[in-house]
Amino acid sequence: MYEFLFQASVFLAAAVIAVPIAARLGLGSVLGYLLAGIVIGPGLGLVANTDDLRHFGEFGVVLMLFLIGLELEPRALWDMRHRLIGLGGLQIVLTTTAIMLGAIAMDLAWQTSLAVGMTLALSSTAIVLQTLSEKGLMQTNGGRSAFSVLLTQDIAVIPMLIALPLLAVMPSVAINPDGSIRRATDAEHATEHAGDGHGAAMSLVDGLEGWQAALVTLGIIAVIILAGIYGARPLFRFIHSARLQEMYTAVALLIVIGIAFLMTLIGLSPALGTFLAGVVLANSEFRHELESSIEPFKGLLLGLFFITVGAGIDVERLAAEPFLVVGLAVAVIFIKGAVLYGLGRAFGLGRRGLWLFTLGLAQAGEFGFVLVSFALQLNVFPEPLADRLLLVVALSMMITPLLFLLFDHLARKFQENAETAEADEIDEEGPVIIAGIGRFGQVVNRLVQSSGYRTVVLDHDMQTIQLMRRFGFKGFFGDPTRPELLHAAGLGSARVLVAALDDHKATTKLVAYARRIRPDLHIVARARDRNHVYALYQAGADDIVREMFDSSLRAGRYVLENIGMSEYEAAIAEETFYHHDRHTVRELAKLWNPAVPASENEPYIARAKELEKELETALFTALDERGKKDVA
């Protein structure tokens, strides 16, 4: 118990300290966990053997794939079939071949080289999916392509494990009583593996013919699917009758652990089985309950896994062969990156998605630890080679967060280049100029055009402009803050300018320039928040619309209607609040100072309190007058 509590305290303390620091520095949680592992492992020597903990932490990958499956409907998975088979299959075959040729060039036997290629062809599901989720990139084209490849790789682990025994190039050996070495018999070899737990493992397919094992496998998968479709609702109704929140957590863990266990009995990946179960339950009304119950366990277990990877770095071997090991890790990343880049181009990924796909999957993965250990037991790898490969896998995984930082830099550069690209030639003018055609600008544009008025639409996002054109709306690509584009769009004769850019600083800059050139122009501006409202007032905007204000006001009116007010009374309260808020903004804009935070601006705070009391009085007065009219 003492040892367990000590280890748990060390791991939790390392995570609590390192991860927030890494997140604040913009490095991401994964790199924080890895660095924490290095500190408590090779650094301070507080953690010794991490293999058992790593296997425990790998269950976080199982939970993660279950949660991802809950977000995918079966139809969405079917739509991914081309990426799964084409993109994922080609990545495995081409990467395995390329690394195999490199290993042969280093004088390894072709069987060993093929095993090395298969081991390093796999990428890290845990690191990539966690990082994609943190950065909100999972639903991008590059993110979906990366997920498809990772799912294909998880499936490919099964035939790889089957193929490894066929690649053994070194005979098993046994030691005689006199100390001499001889070739081990098959019985001795089997006993050796039974001792490490592989031979004693439970299995439903051992000793069966191929067709029998296939039937058992298909039967188990069918049971999982049917249980998810027909058994989930009665099970959750039964659990709901207990009215204990912890029972939802228990049944969620039971589903995941039970399915993972069934998958191991038939020799399939537990992660693959739980992903399938998640897809089956994606349309269930209990999906959100399952997500909320499992999410905390997933995060902690993945964090534990990342820490064990960092703590398991063999510093002595790295110090003995630094150039060789680091060189091999970098070579693996370059080879995989080249293959991924070529496939991404062939499958039509855009520039941003292409680099996300390439840099995100260029590392080796956690299944590499499994394959290396298994190959070592089968005498496919000699021990020195296995040790180097484990170190290469770990180092490449540690480099991955840095590759994602490189992607962030490239993505910003692509955006800057897009903004400075050659703009369209604007060949028409209109009474209304709409700068920015996102969700806000689209509604304004449709309303104005449907009412019979011409608009000139400008936006610096080429994809948005192209999408507009596909739906029959004309727009021009270019930076709306550039004076020459504004004048070409008719700034000198326009009656109204709508400033609706996503970048609030660019919106303020546009308003200030337009007001300076056209004092008589009516400017309608979109504001991000109240501080932005004040900046736009100072810049010269006439009508300012906060992004969430009108929708929030309407939601408040619905609340009033359902807690006792009539529809008319709620409408009176809404209108009173609206007019008073406009008055409040004008008053506070006089006291707002962009150089002083609002929390430190005493005159601003004092006036805001006065205006809030005036709002309560105004609402009471408006409703009281309405009541008197009803009585009269």
Side-chain angles (χ1 to χ4, degrees), residues 123-391:
S123 304
S124 176
T125 302
I127 291 180
V128 175
L129 294 187
Q130 176 76 2
T131 308
L132 289 177
S133 299
E134 283 184 8
K135 294 180 177 292
L137 297 171
M138 184 66 77
Q139 299 305 320
T140 64
N141 198 16
R144 289 193 299 269
S145 299
F147 170 72
S148 301
V149 171
L150 291 169
L151 185 56
T152 306
Q153 290 176 355
D154 288 343
I155 298 172
V157 171
I158 302 162
M160 287 181 181
L161 291 172
I162 295 173
L164 278 178
L166 306 177
L167 300 176
V169 294
M170 297 178 298
S172 299
V173 296
I175 301 177
N176 292 316
D178 60 2
S180 60
I181 297 177
R182 61 181 172 81
R183 181 177 182 130
T185 65
D186 290 341
E188 289 172 332
H189 186 65
T191 302
E192 175 189 350
H193 291 304
D196 61 21
H198 291 282
M202 295 178 60
S203 175
L204 295 179
V205 295
D206 278 355
L208 299 180
E209 298 290 337
W211 65 272
Q212 293 173 325
L215 284 178
V216 171
T217 301
L218 292 175
I220 293 295
I221 293 175
V223 167
I224 292 174
I225 294 174
L226 293 175
I229 295 174
Y230 298 107
R233 185 174 286 106
L235 175 61
F236 271 91
R237 286 176 178 169
F238 174 73
I239 293 300
H240 181 71
S241 64
R243 300 190 181 280
L244 294 172
Q245 185 61 37
E246 59 267 28
M247 287 297 99
Y248 287 101
T249 303
V251 75
L253 291 174
L254 173 63
I255 290 172
V256 176
I257 295 174
I259 291 173
F261 177 64
L262 284 176
M263 289 294 104
T264 59
L265 290 182
I266 57 177
L268 293 181
S269 166
L272 178 63
T274 52
F275 172 77
L276 177 62
V279 172
V280 172
L281 295 171
N283 291 321
S284 169
E285 62 267 36
F286 307 107
R287 175 168 67 91
H288 298 295
E289 193 69 46
L290 287 168
E291 288 177 343
S292 61
S293 298
I294 289 177
E295 183 67 34
F297 296 96
K298 183 265 292 184
L300 284 174
L301 288 174
L302 279 178
L304 174 63
F305 170 72
F306 297 139
I307 291 177
T308 59
V309 171
I313 295 291
D314 189 347
V315 176
E316 293 182 1
R317 179 167 291 277
L318 180 60
E321 303 174 329
F323 296 106
L324 175 62
V325 174
V326 174
L328 288 174
V330 173
V332 168
I333 291 174
F334 270 102
I335 291 173
K336 293 188 73 172
V339 172
L340 291 164
Y341 185 85
L343 288 174
R345 291 288 298 271
F347 277 75
L349 291 180
R351 186 166 52 174
R352 191 169 184 269
L354 176 61
W355 282 109
L356 175 61
F357 179 69
T358 300
L359 296 174
L361 296 177
Q363 78 292 125
E366 54 274 359
F367 279 117
F369 298 121
V370 177
L371 293 179
V372 171
S373 300
F374 189 48
L376 178 62
Q377 295 165 4
L378 297 173
N379 296 303
V380 177
F381 294 152
E383 188 169 348
L385 176 60
D387 291 341
R388 290 192 188 100
L389 286 175
L390 290 173
L391 198 51

